[in-house]
Amino acid sequence: MKLNSKKFFIAIVAGTRPNFMKVAPLFKEFGKYKNIVEVSFVHTGQHYDKMMSDSFLFDLGLPKPDVLLDTGGGSHIKQLSLMMPGLEDAWNKKKPDLVIVVGDVNSTLAGALAARKMDINLAHVEAGLRSFDNTMPEEINRRIVDQISDILFVTEKSGVVNLKKEGIKDNVFLVGNVMIDSLVQNKDKFVKSDILKKLSLKNKKYAVLTLHRPPNVDDPKIFKDLFSHILNLAKKMPIVFPVHPRTRPSLLRAIESMGKLSNLIIIDPLGYIDFISLVSSSKFVLTDSGGLQEETTYLNIPCLTLRNTPERPVTISLGTSILIGRNYALIEDVANKIIMGDYKQGSIPPLWDGMSSQRIIDIIFKKYDLRSNTGLQ
Ligand code: UD1
C-alpha cells in the first residue's frame, strides 16, 4: 500500500478492564512514530465504573479516548447493538486504515465486525486462544474475530496450532504477550504502591481472590459451595477479595446466608498499579480470570485457577497455574501445600519479555510498507 502525504490512521478499540493493559503498550510504542502514524483511542464504554475504567486509564498512562461510547450495563446483545453504530459513526467521520482489537470481550467483537463491515483492515491482538467451550461468550467472540481478521498476533504457541486447525495460516504471528509488556513497563510503580499498608497486610502472609465468571458466581448454590471452601481456607490465611461488579449480588446473598465472612477482606476493585502490587506480594492467588493466570505466571506467584476450560494452556504447562476447575474441594489441599512451601515452580513462556508491542508494530509497518513511505528503515 502506498501512502501519499497522509499519515496511516489506526484506531485501537478497547472497552473493558482486561483490554486497557493490553492496549497501553501499543499506544506507548506507536507514540514513537508520530511522523508515520496517527492513532485514535476508541473506548466502547463496556466498563464504565470509575474503578473498572477511569482509574485503569490513569494508572496505565493511556491517552484520553478520542471516541467514548455510552454502551455499558445491558445484556450482551444490547451492548453489541449500541457499540456497532457508535463505531460506524466515528469511522464515517474519519475512516481508519487499520483497526486493532485486543482480547475476547464484547468490545473486541463489536470493533472487529464494524471494521469488517466498513471494509477496514483488521488486526487482532491475542488471537488463537481457545477454551473449546462454546457456552463462554468470550469463546464465540474469539472464533468470530479470528475468522475475519487480516493480521493475527498470537501470545503462545497453542494459538498458532488452534488457528491452523481452523484453516487460518496466513498473517499469523507469534509475538508474545502485550499484557506482560504492561507489567514490565510499570515495574517501578508497583514497588511504590502503599496498598499493603492500607490493608494492614504483610508480604507473603495473605492470598488474593478474584471471581467474575458466570459458572462460578451466578448460581447461588455453586457460589455458596465455592465460598464455604474459601472461608475454610481464610481460617489459615487472610484472603483479599476485590469484588467485580457482576459478583456483588451473589456475594451479598452469601453474606446474608453465611453470616460474617471472617478473615476475608472484601474491597472494591483496585486500580492496576495497586492490584498488581497486591498480587506480587501475595502468597498465592485464586482466580477465574484468564489475564491473571498470565500475570501470576510472569510474577511467579502460584495461581489456583477456578476454571474448567482454561484457554491459556501455557500458564499450566510452563507457568504457575494449577487447575482446580469446579472441584472446589481441592482448594484447601492445594493451598495448604503452598502455605507449607510445596508448590510447582513455573517459568516464563517464550517471548513474554516486554517487547511484544514492538514486534507487533514492526510487523504492521512492514505489512503496510510504512517505513519506506517515510524513508525510515
Ligand atoms: C466482561 C468480559 C470478560 C472479562 C470481564 C472482566 C465479555 C463477554 N466479557 O465480563 O471477558 O473477563 O468483563 O471484567 O465481554 N458492570 C458495572 N460496572 C462496570 C462494568 C460492568 O457495574 O464498569 C456491571 C454490569 O452492569 C453488569 C456486570 O457488571 O451487571 C457485567 O459486566 P460486563 O462487563 O457486561 O461483563 P462481565 O461479565 O464483567
Side-chain angles (χ1 to χ4, degrees), residues 78-338:
K78 191 162 168 235
Q79 283 178 3
L80 290 170
S81 66
L82 289 172
M83 285 175 201
M84 297 205 12
L87 294 171
E88 184 181 34
D89 285 349
W91 294 341
N92 268 335
K93 282 186 197 133
K94 184 164 180 182
K95 192 171 174 179
D97 296 302
L98 175 70
V99 164
I100 301 180
V101 295
V102 298
D104 55 19
V105 298
N106 291 334
S107 304
T108 316
L109 178 62
L113 283 173
R116 195 72 296 155
K117 292 284 176 193
M118 295 180 76
D119 199 22
I120 302 169
N121 294 302
L122 175 64
H124 184 204
V125 174
E126 203 186 83
L129 296 178
R130 295 290 179 269
S131 66
F132 305 101
D133 174 1
N134 279 341
T135 64
M136 281 182 76
E138 294 83 357
E139 181 74 355
I140 306 302
N141 296 346
R142 291 179 198 120
R143 284 180 185 275
I144 297 172
V145 174
D146 285 343
Q147 280 297 334
I148 61 177
S149 291
D150 299 296
I151 321 178
L152 300 99
F153 296 112
V154 182
T155 53
E156 59 168 280
K157 250 189 196 160
S158 74
V160 178
V161 175
N162 294 334
L163 291 172
K164 212 171 187 178
K165 283 187 190 148
E166 291 169 26
I168 306 169
K169 294 189 200 90
D170 296 335
N171 293 307
V172 173
F173 302 93
L174 184 63
V175 291
N177 196 327
V178 281
M179 209 167 66
I180 304 304
D181 290 12
S182 262
L183 276 186
V184 172
Q185 286 168 12
N186 288 290
K187 247 183 188 161
D188 292 351
K189 294 190 194 156
F190 302 140
V191 281
K192 289 189 193 137
S193 158
D194 61 354
I195 189 67
L196 262 66
K197 208 170 142 201
K198 272 192 191 147
L199 296 173
S200 308
L201 294 166
K202 291 211 170 69
N203 191 29
K204 301 290 168 194
K205 299 283 185 211
Y206 64 91
V208 176
L209 167 69
T210 83
L211 289 172
H212 75 279
R213 300 248 171 228
N216 283 327
V217 304
D218 285 359
D219 180 328
K221 250 175 88 183
I222 293 177
F223 191 75
K224 203 173 163 188
D225 177 34
L226 169 58
F227 243 71
S228 63
H229 292 287
I230 303 270
L231 289 180
N232 276 341
L233 182 58
K235 289 177 192 154
K236 301 240 167 68
M237 182 170 256
I239 300 177
V240 187
F241 184 19
V243 183
H244 188 285
R246 103 175 324 273
T247 310
R248 264 180 222 140
S250 313
L251 181 65
L252 290 176
R253 272 197 304 269
I255 293 175
E256 256 170 41
S257 72
M258 298 169 100
K260 194 170 173 293
L261 310 178
S262 314
N263 235 1
L264 192 68
I265 302 165
I266 295 172
I267 56 174
D268 282 332
L270 290 171
Y272 180 69
I273 300 296
D274 282 343
F275 183 68
I276 296 295
S277 175
L278 184 74
V279 166
S280 315
S281 299
S282 70
K283 186 74 181 166
F284 61 94
V285 166
L286 299 126
T287 191
D288 56 10
S289 149
L292 193 44
Q293 272 173 261
E294 298 184 328
E295 288 162 332
T296 46
T297 279
Y298 183 79
L299 296 166
N300 199 25
I301 304 288
C303 176
L304 280 66
T305 300
L306 304 168
R307 310 257 315 262
N308 269 344
T309 51
E311 66 283 319
R312 290 154 160 94
V314 79
T315 62
I316 297 167
S317 60
L318 284 186
T320 56
S321 175
I322 305 149
L323 198 60
I324 301 291
R326 299 272 289 284
N327 188 1
Y328 303 139
L330 278 179
I331 291 175
E332 287 151 75
D333 280 357
V334 175
N336 281 331
K337 281 192 186 143
I338 296 171

Side-chain angles (χ1 to χ4, degrees), residues 41-47 53-54 57 65-71:
F41 176 15
V42 183
H43 186 329
T44 65
Q46 182 176 343
H47 283 177
S53 173
D54 301 6
L57 305 193
D66 299 285
V67 177
L68 175 59
L69 305 178
D70 178 14
T71 62

